[in-house]
Every structure is written in structure tokens, then in C-alpha cells.
Amino acid sequence: MPASLPAEHRAAAEAVFGDRLALAGRYAELLATDGVVRGLIGPREAPRLWERHLINCGVMAEMIPIGASVTDVGSGAGLPGIVLAVARPDLTITLVEPLARRTAFLSEAVTALGLDATVTVVRGRAEDLAGGPPAPADVVTARAVAPLDRLAGWCLPLTAVGGRLVALKGASAEDEVAEHHQAIARLGGGEPIVRLCGVGLIDPPSTVVEIVRERDVVASRPRPSKRAAAPGRSAGDAGGRGSGNRRSRRR
């Protein structure tokens, strides 16, 4: 089976998922079958779902307090939101995703895995959900959704003051922190900290950026540009977040 757990990753998977390893296996099968057919996971990803996706996301659980509320922004196929729900049944998780075909998959997966009691699927853009519902979360997660300044702009308003944004990043994490820490401060975030999850369990460990929301910041409304208001120019022509580039990581 394309989503079967490779022997070399079994110890790590058991450490992450414990007695819910079989449930994680059912989710892996959903990704390898429906997820591929519906364009949520690339066909080449199916044989390496465990190491590149499930375990890689699952080790983020060590950053999340017991009983926390979690909002997963740009959840896509459920990475990391559904993975965390499988690994940590004590968490209450909201999956935020703007595209209908993805939210349909998420809802079906949540029901198929018996996660309805702890997981809610919300169709919408993160920037449209500020002020709730859902209520500000203890922890907001995201996986390679956007550069750190934009990601903080979307996610910090969904985070309770004193709560944290935990963003799964790659090798660029240190560079992004250096480039965007001032913008994050203006958004009410504390100093971003790069942390490694799964040290001694997976190689390489997962790299995350942790940002505490230190204060509430009321964003100023941008003035509409003359260019955006030009006759015959639609909002879709302006590119930006709706251009389709931001979700390529998991499709």
C-alpha cells in the first residue's frame, strides 16, 4: 500500500501517535487515495507521507500545551491540523481553509476518522475571521503558507493575547526571522524564536517559528489604490493571495 508505514519510521510514528497510530494510518490512506485523486496531495508524495507529512507535522505537538485550543490556518489537506487532532485528542482544533474542495475533503476526513467531537472545519480566509468566530485560540498553526510577515498578519489576530503562533518552516526560517521581526513587532508579536521539534526522533528535526502575541493591535484600513479602482480592472487581476501560488506545497 502506498501509505503503509515504512519500518525505518515506525519508532518515530509510535512516539508521536502512541495508541492512535492505527488512526494515523487511516488518515495516511485517505491522503494517499482521495487526497491524491482530488489534487490535495501530489502523487509522488504518497510513498513518503509518513516522514514528510505525518511525522513532520506530528512532532509540533510538543509545542502545544495540554487542553489548548488550536486554529490551523490554510489547513489544505489537514496538515498539520488533522495530524495534531489524531496525535492529541485533548486539543480542540479549528481547521481554516478558503477553498470549497479542500473544506469538503477536510469535513469528510474528520467524520471518517471520528474526530467530530474535537475538530471543526471553517471555510474562509484567515484575514476575514479576525474578531471571531472562532474565538481567539491558544495556539495558531500554519505550514509553509506564506512569508513570515504576511503569515503573522493573518494569524496573530486569530491568536489570544498571550497565545502563540507556531509556524512550520524550512531552511529559510532564520532568514525570515531576521527580515520580518520588525513587521511582526508592529503586528503585536513578540520576538520570533526558531525552534526544532522532534530532536532525536527525526532527522532532520522539524523547524518551527514561535511568535507570542503580546498585545492587541488595531490594524489601520489601507486606502484603496487608484490603480485598483481603475475602470475595467477586476480584483482578481491584482494577483496577490488569490493568485494560486501559496498552496503549491501540498498539492
Side-chain angles (χ1 to χ4, degrees):
M1 296 187 299
S4 58
L5 175 58
E8 63 269 28
H9 301 300
R10 176 166 289 276
E14 289 175 344
V16 170
F17 296 105
D19 60 2
R20 289 164 72 88
L21 182 59
L23 186 61
R26 288 169 57 193
Y27 177 50
E29 282 300 314
L30 284 175
L31 292 177
T33 52
D34 280 3
V36 171
V37 170
R38 294 160 77 164
L40 303 180
I41 292 289
R44 294 182 180 180
E45 294 300 302
R48 49 191 183 183
L49 282 171
W50 285 95
E51 64 268 34
R52 287 176 62 90
H53 300 288
L54 274 74
I55 298 173
N56 180 260
C57 289
V59 294
M60 294 175 67
E62 67 189 57
M63 300 283 296
I64 303 177
I66 294 173
S69 59
V70 178
T71 295
D72 184 36
V73 169
S75 197
L79 303 166
I82 288 182
V83 173
L84 293 173
V86 171
R88 292 280 304 277
D90 60 294
L91 303 177
T92 302
I93 299 179
T94 301
L95 310 178
V96 175
E97 169 57 48
L99 295 187
R101 66 184 179 89
R102 294 173 186 157
T103 53
F105 173 84
L106 290 172
S107 296
E108 293 166 18
V110 166
T111 298
L113 298 172
L115 300 174
D116 301 86
T118 59
V119 180
T120 302
V121 178
V122 174
R123 182 184 175 192
R125 300 188 308 168
E127 57 265 45
D128 295 333
L129 299 177
D138 300 319
V139 177
V140 175
T141 58
R143 186 188 191 215
V145 170
L148 201 54
D149 57 341
R150 278 192 288 157
L151 187 63
W154 297 333
C155 294
L156 286 178
L158 304 183
T159 310
V161 174
R164 294 173 295 157
L165 165 61
V166 179
L168 185 59
K169 288 287 185 176
S172 66
E174 293 282 3
D175 291 339
E176 287 195 50
V177 166
E179 181 178 357
H180 299 305
H181 68 98
Q182 291 181 340
I184 291 166
R186 289 193 295 270
L187 293 164
E191 188 69 23
I193 300 173
V194 177
R195 301 193 185 277
L196 299 178
C197 297
V199 175
L201 192 63
I202 56 174
D203 185 23
S206 296
T207 301
V208 303
V209 177
E210 179 186 33
I211 302 171
V212 174
R213 189 186 189 197
E214 294 185 340
R215 64 192 188 282
D216 190 5
V217 173
V218 178
S220 59
R221 292 180 176 272
R223 296 179 179 178
S225 67
K226 293 180 179 179
R227 185 181 180 190
R233 182 177 175 82
S234 68
D237 294 333
R241 194 178 177 198
S243 61
N245 294 330
R246 59 180 284 269
R247 302 300 313 189
S248 61
R249 60 182 171 90
R250 293 185 294 209
R251 312 294 177 260

